[in-house]
């Protein structure tokens, strides 16, 4: 990297830092912070969401959720972190965002995935959310299983890891919402993921099965995984 580019990056960092510091140290109204979230720079949005005390309307929730996907990672992580507080306060504001939430549970940043899974536990009492969310979750999981099953060594390690990462977090999500998923769909997924070569996928499969004790087909797979070669799989 040449000197000019280094200076440009340094100047940008300093500008972003000063912007965030200004928002943090000074008093801004609730409306100002929402305005930053709607139209601000990366630094303004990140600082605003961290300073925000509450989300008071469905429209404000919509603005917040518009910053959960498709934007800079610093914003996405800040939003996901605050959703752990905001969703429990007004879960009814967020039931319509099942598509956005499904995208966020496979974010490239694992911290975002974890934050979102924690936050959406509070949406389990809302059929408008979990019916639509689980329907799309199952469809996407089945698609990714088919991709992973077809991988071979020529596909490239990065490509394989990227798809396995998505499947890992889909299964982690299923472990939270399995009660709302059609039993036949669940059995179809478990039958496939219990055989996938990557142990982290078998581990998440075993985690789901550890919560189920009333189906003979799933109990059979559960017992097979208790004898898996990998400790992290059989510990369940």
């Amino acid at each position: 990297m040449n000197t000019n580019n280094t200076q440009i990056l340094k100047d940008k960092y300093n500008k972003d830092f000063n912007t965030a510091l200004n928002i943090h140290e000074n008093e801004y109204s609730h409306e100002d912070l929402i305005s930053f979230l709607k139209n601000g720079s990366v630094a303004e949005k990140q600082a605003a969401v961290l300073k925000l005390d509450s989300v008071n309307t469905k429209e404000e929730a919509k603005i917040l959720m518009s910053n959960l996907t498709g934007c800079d990672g610093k914003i996405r992580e800040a939003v996901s972190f605050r959703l752990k507080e905001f969703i429990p306060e007004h879960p009814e504001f967020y039931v319509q965002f099942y598509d956005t939430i499904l995208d966020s549970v496979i974010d490239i940043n694992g911290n975002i995935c974890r934050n979102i899974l924690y936050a959406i536990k509070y949406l389990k009492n809302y059929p408008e959310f979990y019916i639509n969310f689980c329907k799309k979750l199952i469809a996407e999981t089945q698609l990714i299983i088919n991709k992973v099953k077809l991988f071979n060594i020529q596909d490239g390690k990065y490509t394989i890891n990227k798809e396995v990462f998505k499947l890992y977090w889909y299964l982690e999500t299923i472990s939270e919402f399995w009660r709302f998923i059609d039993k036949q769909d669940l059995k179809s997924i478990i039958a496939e993921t219990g055989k996938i070569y990557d142990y982290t996928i078998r581990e998440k499969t075993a985690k789901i099965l550890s919560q189920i004790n009333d189906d003979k087909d799933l109990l059979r797979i559960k017992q097979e995984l208790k004898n898996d070669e990998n400790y992290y799989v059989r510990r369940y």
Side-chain angles (χ1 to χ4, degrees):
M1 184 178 295
N2 62 42
T3 303
N4 287 339
N5 287 338
T6 301
Q7 187 60 46
I8 290 171
L9 289 174
K10 184 177 180 180
D11 291 344
K12 182 180 184 305
Y13 172 83
N14 289 335
K15 180 181 178 182
D16 289 347
F17 177 82
N18 289 330
T19 297
L21 186 64
N22 173 61
I23 293 174
H24 176 73
E25 292 188 339
N26 292 282
E27 291 299 321
Y28 283 90
S29 69
H30 181 85
E31 291 72 23
D32 287 336
L33 296 175
I34 293 296
S35 180
F36 282 137
L37 268 178
K38 188 174 183 179
N39 300 308
S41 66
V42 170
E44 288 171 335
K45 288 185 174 187
Q46 182 188 22
V49 73
L50 292 174
K51 191 169 177 104
L52 199 64
D53 288 330
S54 61
V55 174
N56 299 328
T57 67
K58 288 185 177 180
E59 181 59 32
E60 290 180 358
K62 183 178 180 180
I63 294 169
L64 180 68
M65 294 299 289
S66 71
N67 289 287
L68 183 58
T69 60
C71 58
D72 187 272
K74 294 187 287 294
I75 303 172
R76 301 197 316 273
E77 185 164 4
V79 171
S80 73
F81 177 74
R82 296 311 305 283
L83 282 172
K84 295 192 295 181
E85 303 170 50
F86 293 148
I87 288 182
E89 291 175 353
H90 289 288
E92 69 278 9
F93 290 173
Y94 301 90
V95 294
Q96 62 182 305
F97 298 110
Y98 42 85
D99 283 326
T100 301
I101 289 171
L102 187 59
D103 286 341
S104 69
V105 298
I106 55 168
D107 194 283
I108 193 171
N109 182 336
N111 290 330
I112 295 173
C113 306
R114 280 184 283 272
N115 288 339
I116 293 301
L117 280 177
Y118 179 90
I120 63 175
K121 292 177 182 180
Y122 297 93
L123 297 175
K124 289 182 179 179
N125 292 327
Y126 294 84
E128 181 185 346
F129 175 77
Y130 67 70
I131 289 173
N132 291 297
F133 180 72
C134 289
K135 181 179 179 180
K136 290 176 177 276
L137 171 62
I138 290 306
E140 291 301 316
T141 302
Q142 290 170 333
L143 284 174
I144 211 75
I145 286 172
N146 290 333
K147 287 184 181 180
V148 172
K149 284 169 57 180
L150 294 174
F151 280 144
N152 59 55
I153 196 65
Q154 281 75 38
D155 288 314
K157 187 175 181 180
Y158 172 77
T159 302
I160 295 172
N161 288 346
K162 182 179 178 182
E163 300 306 314
V164 168
F165 178 88
K166 291 178 183 178
L167 182 55
Y168 174 98
W169 284 107
Y170 280 146
L171 291 174
E172 185 73 1
T173 307
I174 288 172
S175 75
E176 289 290 340
F177 284 85
W178 66 269
R179 291 177 179 84
F180 306 110
I181 295 172
D182 177 82
K183 182 62 72 70
Q184 289 306 121
D185 287 337
L186 185 63
K187 289 167 73 169
S188 175
I189 286 171
I190 293 296
E192 296 290 352
T193 58
K195 299 181 293 185
I196 284 178
Y197 63 91
D198 188 284
Y199 84 86
T200 65
I201 301 304
R202 301 197 308 279
E203 178 190 2
K204 290 303 169 188
T205 303
K207 181 179 180 180
I208 297 169
L209 290 170
S210 70
Q211 305 173 74
I212 302 173
N213 295 295
D214 62 351
D215 184 280
K216 64 179 183 179
D217 295 323
L218 294 179
L219 287 172
R220 175 181 53 78
I221 300 172
K222 181 178 181 179
Q223 188 57 45
E224 290 174 357
L225 293 177
K226 282 186 176 295
N227 297 313
D228 194 271
E229 63 183 20
N230 187 281
Y231 164 75
Y232 293 101
V233 177
R234 63 176 183 266
R235 65 178 172 157
Y236 285 106

